[in-house]
Amino acid sequence: MAYHSNRSKKDIYETVTERIIEQLEKGVVPWKSPYLATVGFPRNFATGKPYRGMNSFLLGMLGFSSPYFLTFVQTKELGGHVIRGESGHLVVKYGTYETESDSGIEKTKGFLKAYTVFNTSQIEGIDFPQPESRPFVSDTCGEAKMIVAGMPNRPVIKHGSAIAFYRPSDDIVSMPEMEYFTSSEAYFSVLLHELSHSTGSLSRLARKSLIDNKGMHASRQTYAEEELVAEMSASFLNAHAGILETEFENSASYISGWLSVLKQPDAKNWIIRAASQAQKAADYILNVPKE
């Protein structure tokens, strides 16, 4: 079932950005929701496939106790029905396709479609499994260590610097020593952020926002998009490790900073792309096979 709208692609981008802004204004950072680490990544019940990229955050910030969702049509096909009065939730499909101009030059264009899904708690007539509580990970840092150790083509990680950063010129992630962080979880969250930056190098994913990023001298969009890619990617990875980020990241200044960026007119066209790139970065670090 398509999302109830005749909106253009641009309008869908704007709708998603507005929903993220609404959450930030409430003091909630959608890409740092504890939902992913506690309930699990949202997934389609009919296909069994997890929602990815921005959809993980759009559905995760709803706070349902079940990670399963269905479209209206899928619900009917499985013999169920949506409870009267329940409202659906937006998910988007972002992709690219190749076109050829009159001069024979191939160009890559993007497409965006919107769909409506319902959580299992909004549906009757289907025997859904009880939500499984994710096993408590007593050694979240052990899980994080395994993620770092398992990253293919990992950059060199050096310690001793005053701040954390990734330097593409020599492919090095530089980190302060762990004792300078408030917790080992905070240390690994920062390390996963910097490793996420490193996935954009030419020897890995060749991500435009990393290659064109000249730090504070880059364009506002390039710098902000690359930072958001790393933030979202690190959040995916933290969820896999069982690290809850809410205790050390959702400061007023952090939220205010992202609000000021996302309220700029040009931000409405790249936040979904940033989430897609973040998913690819996390998949690379986790060594997930390409579909």
Side-chain angles (χ1 to χ4, degrees):
M1 178 179 181
Y3 189 61
H4 295 297
S5 175
N6 293 319
R7 297 172 178 172
S8 66
K9 181 173 68 173
K10 179 180 178 182
D11 289 328
I12 298 172
Y13 278 117
E14 290 175 351
T15 298
V16 170
T17 304
E18 287 167 1
R19 295 192 180 191
I20 298 300
I21 288 174
E22 286 173 4
Q23 292 298 305
L24 288 169
E25 289 177 335
K26 295 176 182 178
V28 176
V29 181
W31 55 88
K32 293 187 178 297
S33 167
Y35 178 98
L36 300 183
T38 55
V39 177
F41 285 87
R43 62 180 57 241
N44 185 283
F45 180 73
T47 65
K49 293 183 178 180
Y51 292 97
R52 293 165 59 78
M54 180 55 68
N55 291 328
S56 295
F57 304 128
L58 288 174
L59 298 179
M61 70 187 188
L62 299 174
F64 288 112
S65 60
S66 170
Y68 297 112
F69 293 82
L70 287 170
T71 66
F72 186 85
V73 171
Q74 288 173 329
T75 300
K76 289 185 64 177
E77 289 175 345
L78 292 175
H81 65 272
V82 174
I83 299 172
R84 183 181 297 274
E86 291 287 345
S87 299
H89 309 286
L90 173 68
V91 293
V92 295
K93 182 177 181 180
Y94 173 79
T96 59
Y97 62 97
E98 301 296 326
T99 62
E100 186 172 313
S101 66
D102 294 338
S103 58
I105 300 176
E106 288 191 353
K107 293 184 178 181
T108 300
K109 292 188 175 182
F111 69 85
L112 191 67
K113 293 183 178 180
Y115 299 90
T116 300
V117 295
F118 299 85
N119 186 261
T120 57
S121 64
Q122 301 174 290
I123 297 170
E124 292 180 338
I126 299 175
D127 186 18
F128 293 110
Q130 289 298 313
E132 296 181 6
S133 57
R134 299 188 74 189
F136 177 71
V137 180
S138 59
D139 184 11
T140 55
C141 293
E143 293 291 320
K145 287 178 183 177
M146 291 178 62
I147 290 174
V148 173
M151 177 182 176
N153 189 26
R154 189 177 68 245
V156 174
I157 301 173
K158 290 187 176 181
H159 292 84
S161 63
I163 59 173
F165 60 89
Y166 168 65
R167 189 165 57 224
S169 59
D170 49 12
D171 200 30
I172 288 176
V173 166
S174 189
M175 292 284 295
E177 300 291 349
M178 187 180 291
E179 57 262 31
Y180 291 102
F181 290 84
T182 57
S183 66
S184 54
E185 287 83 2
Y187 165 85
F188 277 104
S189 183
V190 171
L191 176 57
L192 292 172
H193 175 107
E194 299 305 332
L195 288 175
S196 295
H197 277 308
S198 77
T199 63
S201 70
L202 289 172
S203 64
R204 299 182 183 93
L205 298 177
R207 187 169 58 248
K208 182 175 174 59
S209 60
L210 185 281
I211 295 170
D212 293 347
N213 188 8
K214 308 301 180 183
M216 296 304 294
H217 299 292
S219 70
R220 179 186 60 201
Q221 176 177 329
T222 299
Y223 179 79
E225 183 171 350
E226 176 58 27
E227 282 304 308
L228 190 55
V229 168
E231 285 286 277
M232 290 179 169
S233 172
S235 292
F236 287 137
L237 298 169
N238 284 335
H240 279 282
I243 294 175
L244 300 180
E245 304 174 275
T246 53
E247 295 182 3
F248 50 84
E249 286 290 356
N250 294 0
S251 66
S253 60
Y254 177 88
I255 291 174
S256 176
W258 279 114
L259 276 172
S260 66
V261 169
L262 295 179
K263 287 184 176 181
Q264 299 297 322
D266 57 2
K268 298 182 185 299
N269 294 325
W270 55 258
I271 188 170
I272 294 177
R273 185 172 67 246
S276 175
Q277 294 299 317
Q279 184 72 71
K280 293 177 181 178
D283 287 349
Y284 184 96
I285 292 173
L286 294 169
N287 203 18
V288 175
K290 293 183 178 180
E291 295 182 353

